[in-house]
Amino acid sequence: MSTGFALDDAAWASPWRRRAVGEKVLLAGGLVGVGISLPVWPGSVLAAAAALAILLGPAQVSPRVLARSVAAPLAFIVVGSLSVLVSLRWDGGPGVAVTEETRRSALSVLGHGTAGTLGVLVIAATTPMADLLGALRRLRVPDACIDVAGLVYRLVLVLLATVVQMGEAQAARLGYRDRRTTLRSSAALGAGLLVRSWDRARRLEEGLAGRGYTGSLPSLDPPRRTSLPFVATSLVALGAITTAALTMGGS
Protein backbone atom coordinates (compact mmCIF):
# COMPACT_ATOMS: atom_id res chain seq x y z
CA MET A 1 0.00 0.00 0.00
CA SER A 2 1.57 3.28 -1.14
CA THR A 3 0.47 6.53 0.46
CA GLY A 4 2.98 8.78 -1.33
CA PHE A 5 4.61 9.58 2.01
CA ALA A 6 8.02 7.89 2.32
CA LEU A 7 7.93 7.27 6.08
CA ASP A 8 4.38 5.92 5.99
CA ASP A 9 5.26 3.68 3.03
CA ALA A 10 8.24 2.37 5.01
CA ALA A 11 5.94 1.57 7.93
CA TRP A 12 3.56 -0.42 5.71
CA ALA A 13 6.48 -2.37 4.20
CA SER A 14 8.35 -2.87 7.48
CA PRO A 15 9.18 -6.45 8.58
CA TRP A 16 7.91 -5.37 12.00
CA ARG A 17 4.53 -4.47 10.50
CA ARG A 18 2.86 -7.61 11.96
CA ARG A 19 4.31 -7.20 15.44
CA ALA A 20 2.04 -6.12 18.27
CA VAL A 21 1.85 -2.36 18.60
CA GLY A 22 2.37 -2.50 22.36
CA GLU A 23 5.80 -4.12 22.16
CA LYS A 24 6.99 -1.57 19.60
CA VAL A 25 5.64 1.28 21.73
CA LEU A 26 7.51 -0.19 24.70
CA LEU A 27 10.80 -0.20 22.78
CA ALA A 28 10.39 3.20 21.14
CA GLY A 29 8.99 4.84 24.28
CA GLY A 30 11.80 3.37 26.34
CA LEU A 31 14.42 4.72 23.96
CA VAL A 32 12.82 8.16 24.09
CA GLY A 33 12.63 8.01 27.87
CA VAL A 34 16.27 7.04 28.46
CA GLY A 35 17.41 9.35 25.64
CA ILE A 36 15.93 12.49 27.18
CA SER A 37 16.23 11.68 30.89
CA LEU A 38 19.80 10.35 31.16
CA PRO A 39 22.96 12.47 30.79
CA VAL A 40 23.93 13.23 27.21
CA TRP A 41 27.10 11.20 27.60
CA PRO A 42 26.74 8.31 27.49
CA GLY A 43 22.94 7.97 27.95
CA SER A 44 21.61 9.95 24.98
CA VAL A 45 24.47 8.82 22.74
CA LEU A 46 23.81 5.14 23.49
CA ALA A 47 20.05 5.56 23.07
CA ALA A 48 20.52 7.32 19.71
CA ALA A 49 22.99 4.64 18.55
CA ALA A 50 20.58 1.87 19.58
CA ALA A 51 17.67 3.52 17.76
CA LEU A 52 19.80 4.03 14.65
CA ALA A 53 20.96 0.39 14.72
CA ILE A 54 17.35 -0.82 15.06
CA LEU A 55 16.10 1.36 12.20
CA LEU A 56 18.84 0.36 9.78
CA GLY A 57 19.06 -3.24 11.04
CA PRO A 58 16.01 -5.29 12.06
CA ALA A 59 13.49 -2.64 10.95
CA GLN A 60 15.18 -2.44 7.51
CA VAL A 61 14.44 1.24 6.94
CA SER A 62 16.15 2.56 3.83
CA PRO A 63 19.04 4.94 4.65
CA ARG A 64 17.63 7.38 2.10
CA VAL A 65 14.18 7.37 3.71
CA LEU A 66 15.73 7.71 7.16
CA ALA A 67 17.90 10.63 6.05
CA ARG A 68 14.89 12.41 4.53
CA SER A 69 12.76 11.78 7.61
CA VAL A 70 15.31 12.97 10.12
CA ALA A 71 16.64 15.97 8.15
CA ALA A 72 13.95 18.49 9.13
CA PRO A 73 13.86 17.57 12.87
CA LEU A 74 17.66 17.62 13.04
CA ALA A 75 17.79 21.02 11.37
CA PHE A 76 15.30 22.32 13.94
CA ILE A 77 17.37 20.81 16.78
CA VAL A 78 20.63 22.29 15.46
CA VAL A 79 19.08 25.75 15.14
CA GLY A 80 17.72 25.46 18.67
CA SER A 81 21.14 24.39 19.96
CA LEU A 82 22.85 27.34 18.29
CA SER A 83 20.34 29.75 19.80
CA VAL A 84 21.15 28.31 23.24
CA LEU A 85 24.90 28.27 22.61
CA VAL A 86 25.20 31.99 21.92
CA SER A 87 24.20 34.46 24.61
CA LEU A 88 23.85 38.22 24.27
CA ARG A 89 25.77 40.56 26.57
CA TRP A 90 25.46 44.30 27.01
CA ASP A 91 28.50 45.19 29.15
CA GLY A 92 30.57 47.70 27.20
CA GLY A 93 28.17 47.58 24.26
CA PRO A 94 26.18 44.82 22.57
CA GLY A 95 27.96 41.58 21.86
CA VAL A 96 27.69 37.82 21.87
CA ALA A 97 29.42 35.30 24.11
CA VAL A 98 29.79 31.55 24.47
CA THR A 99 30.20 30.37 28.05
CA GLU A 100 30.69 26.97 29.63
CA GLU A 101 27.08 26.99 30.77
CA THR A 102 25.67 27.80 27.32
CA ARG A 103 27.94 25.18 25.74
CA ARG A 104 26.67 22.54 28.17
CA SER A 105 23.07 23.57 27.56
CA ALA A 106 23.53 23.45 23.77
CA LEU A 107 25.02 19.95 23.94
CA SER A 108 22.12 18.88 26.14
CA VAL A 109 19.56 20.17 23.64
CA LEU A 110 21.44 18.56 20.74
CA GLY A 111 21.93 15.17 22.43
CA HIS A 112 18.53 14.82 24.02
CA GLY A 113 16.74 16.10 20.92
CA THR A 114 18.57 13.75 18.56
CA ALA A 115 18.02 10.71 20.79
CA GLY A 116 14.33 11.53 21.25
CA THR A 117 13.81 12.04 17.51
CA LEU A 118 15.44 8.72 16.58
CA GLY A 119 13.42 6.96 19.29
CA VAL A 120 10.15 8.31 17.89
CA LEU A 121 11.19 7.22 14.39
CA VAL A 122 11.42 3.61 15.63
CA ILE A 123 7.64 3.53 16.06
CA ALA A 124 6.88 5.86 13.13
CA ALA A 125 8.89 3.79 10.61
CA THR A 126 7.53 0.41 11.70
CA THR A 127 3.87 1.05 12.54
CA PRO A 128 1.32 2.55 10.12
CA MET A 129 -1.12 5.09 11.48
CA ALA A 130 -4.00 2.63 10.97
CA ASP A 131 -2.38 0.23 13.48
CA LEU A 132 -1.82 3.02 16.00
CA LEU A 133 -5.45 4.11 15.72
CA GLY A 134 -6.55 0.49 16.17
CA ALA A 135 -4.45 0.24 19.33
CA LEU A 136 -6.00 3.45 20.65
CA ARG A 137 -9.46 2.01 19.95
CA ARG A 138 -8.59 -1.08 22.02
CA LEU A 139 -7.51 1.24 24.84
CA ARG A 140 -11.06 2.64 24.87
CA VAL A 141 -10.16 6.05 23.45
CA PRO A 142 -13.46 7.64 22.28
CA ASP A 143 -14.34 6.71 18.71
CA ALA A 144 -14.92 10.34 17.75
CA CYS A 145 -11.30 11.25 18.61
CA ILE A 146 -9.93 8.29 16.64
CA ASP A 147 -12.10 9.02 13.62
CA VAL A 148 -11.11 12.69 13.53
CA ALA A 149 -7.41 11.77 13.83
CA GLY A 150 -7.69 9.21 11.03
CA LEU A 151 -9.58 11.54 8.69
CA VAL A 152 -7.19 14.45 9.32
CA TYR A 153 -4.19 12.19 8.70
CA ARG A 154 -5.69 10.95 5.43
CA LEU A 155 -6.58 14.48 4.36
CA VAL A 156 -3.03 15.69 5.06
CA LEU A 157 -1.60 12.93 2.85
CA VAL A 158 -4.00 13.83 0.05
CA LEU A 159 -3.13 17.52 0.29
CA LEU A 160 0.60 16.79 0.30
CA ALA A 161 0.18 14.77 -2.88
CA THR A 162 -1.85 17.63 -4.36
CA VAL A 163 0.89 20.16 -3.54
CA VAL A 164 3.49 17.97 -5.26
CA GLN A 165 1.32 17.56 -8.38
CA MET A 166 0.51 21.28 -8.58
CA GLY A 167 4.18 22.20 -8.10
CA GLU A 168 5.30 19.81 -10.84
CA ALA A 169 2.67 21.19 -13.23
CA GLN A 170 3.77 24.76 -12.55
CA ALA A 171 7.44 23.85 -12.98
CA ALA A 172 6.68 22.15 -16.31
CA ARG A 173 5.15 25.45 -17.47
CA LEU A 174 8.29 27.40 -16.37
CA GLY A 175 6.44 28.78 -13.38
CA TYR A 176 9.62 28.99 -11.29
CA ARG A 177 12.10 30.36 -13.85
CA ASP A 178 12.77 33.60 -11.95
CA ARG A 179 11.86 35.40 -8.74
CA ARG A 180 8.79 37.12 -10.15
CA THR A 181 7.22 33.98 -11.60
CA THR A 182 8.17 32.04 -8.45
CA LEU A 183 6.23 34.48 -6.27
CA ARG A 184 3.29 34.38 -8.65
CA SER A 185 3.31 30.57 -8.82
CA SER A 186 3.63 30.23 -5.05
CA ALA A 187 0.64 32.52 -4.52
CA ALA A 188 -1.39 30.57 -7.09
CA LEU A 189 -0.38 27.29 -5.47
CA GLY A 190 -1.49 28.51 -2.03
CA ALA A 191 -4.82 29.79 -3.35
CA GLY A 192 -5.43 26.63 -5.33
CA LEU A 193 -4.57 24.46 -2.34
CA LEU A 194 -7.05 26.36 -0.16
CA VAL A 195 -9.84 25.74 -2.68
CA ARG A 196 -8.84 22.07 -3.06
CA SER A 197 -8.79 21.63 0.74
CA TRP A 198 -12.28 23.05 1.06
CA ASP A 199 -13.55 20.86 -1.78
CA ARG A 200 -11.89 17.71 -0.38
CA ALA A 201 -13.36 18.33 3.07
CA ARG A 202 -16.84 18.83 1.60
CA ARG A 203 -16.58 15.66 -0.47
CA LEU A 204 -15.34 13.77 2.58
CA GLU A 205 -18.35 14.92 4.60
CA GLU A 206 -20.71 13.92 1.78
CA GLY A 207 -19.03 10.52 1.51
CA LEU A 208 -19.43 9.85 5.21
CA ALA A 209 -23.08 10.90 5.11
CA GLY A 210 -23.68 8.69 2.06
CA ARG A 211 -22.26 5.69 3.91
CA GLY A 212 -24.54 6.26 6.87
CA TYR A 213 -21.88 7.43 9.31
CA THR A 214 -23.23 7.05 12.83
CA GLY A 215 -20.23 8.11 14.89
CA SER A 216 -17.81 5.21 14.36
CA LEU A 217 -15.58 4.05 11.51
CA PRO A 218 -14.52 0.52 12.49
CA SER A 219 -11.73 -1.07 10.45
CA LEU A 220 -10.14 -4.49 10.29
CA ASP A 221 -7.65 -4.91 13.10
CA PRO A 222 -6.45 -8.53 13.34
CA PRO A 223 -5.24 -9.54 16.81
CA ARG A 224 -1.49 -9.86 17.25
CA ARG A 225 0.24 -11.87 19.94
CA THR A 226 2.87 -10.10 22.00
CA SER A 227 6.32 -11.65 21.62
CA LEU A 228 7.83 -12.26 25.05
CA PRO A 229 11.41 -12.61 23.65
CA PHE A 230 11.03 -9.24 21.92
CA VAL A 231 9.79 -7.59 25.11
CA ALA A 232 12.55 -9.22 27.18
CA THR A 233 15.23 -8.14 24.70
CA SER A 234 13.89 -4.57 24.70
CA LEU A 235 13.90 -4.39 28.49
CA VAL A 236 17.43 -5.80 28.66
CA ALA A 237 18.68 -3.27 26.10
CA LEU A 238 17.03 -0.35 27.90
CA GLY A 239 18.38 -1.59 31.22
CA ALA A 240 21.89 -1.90 29.79
CA ILE A 241 21.79 1.69 28.49
CA THR A 242 20.54 2.98 31.84
CA THR A 243 23.13 1.00 33.79
CA ALA A 244 25.96 2.15 31.54
CA ALA A 245 24.89 5.78 31.86
CA LEU A 246 24.59 5.65 35.65
CA THR A 247 27.81 3.67 36.08
CA MET A 248 29.91 5.92 33.87
CA GLY A 249 28.41 9.01 35.50
CA GLY A 250 28.38 11.17 32.40
CA SER A 251 27.49 14.80 32.07
Side-chain angles (χ1 to χ4, degrees):
M1 177 177 179
S2 176
T3 61
F5 190 48
L7 191 60
D8 205 48
D9 290 342
W12 281 101
S14 173
W16 284 9
R17 164 76 174 78
R18 300 299 176 187
R19 287 196 172 279
V21 175
E23 60 189 41
K24 290 183 287 187
V25 170
L26 171 66
L27 176 59
L31 288 172
V32 173
V34 298
I36 64 176
S37 61
L38 294 175
V40 174
W41 173 258
S44 298
V45 174
L46 291 177
L52 194 60
I54 291 171
L55 289 168
L56 297 177
Q60 298 181 12
V61 178
S62 165
R64 183 178 180 183
V65 172
L66 180 59
R68 290 175 56 187
S69 302
V70 81
L74 277 185
F76 182 79
I77 292 171
V78 170
V79 171
S81 301
L82 292 177
S83 66
V84 173
L85 177 64
V86 179
S87 62
L88 298 177
R89 58 178 176 79
W90 299 96
D91 51 327
V96 296
V98 178
T99 65
E100 182 63 24
E101 182 180 358
T102 60
R103 185 188 64 82
R104 189 178 298 110
S105 298
L107 286 177
S108 176
V109 171
L110 184 63
H112 290 152
T114 303
T117 300
L118 290 174
V120 171
L121 282 179
V122 170
I123 188 69
T126 58
T127 310
M129 180 59 72
D131 291 359
L132 292 175
L133 295 178
L136 292 177
R137 196 182 300 277
R138 289 194 296 275
L139 291 176
R140 306 299 182 185
V141 175
D143 288 341
C145 297
I146 297 175
D147 293 343
V148 169
L151 292 175
V152 169
Y153 182 72
R154 179 58 185 164
L155 187 59
V156 167
L157 292 180
V158 171
L159 293 181
L160 284 176
T162 302
V163 169
V164 172
Q165 293 173 357
M166 294 172 67
E168 291 176 348
Q170 289 178 325
R173 297 179 181 179
L174 303 180
Y176 295 97
R177 67 178 183 274
D178 54 34
R179 182 172 175 272
R180 183 176 182 180
T181 56
T182 298
L183 290 175
R184 183 186 304 165
S185 298
S186 299
L189 191 149
L193 183 62
L194 179 62
V195 175
R196 292 286 185 89
S197 304
W198 186 274
D199 181 62
R200 292 280 186 178
R202 180 183 56 79
R203 291 165 59 184
L204 184 61
E205 181 183 6
E206 292 176 353
L208 289 174
R211 295 181 179 183
Y213 178 66
T214 58
S216 178
L217 286 173
S219 57
L220 293 178
D221 186 21
R224 299 182 177 91
R225 182 173 299 178
T226 300
S227 171
L228 293 181
F230 185 93
V231 173
T233 304
S234 300
L235 292 177
V236 169
L238 296 174
I241 295 173
T242 304
T243 303
L246 296 179
T247 302
M248 297 176 69
S251 58

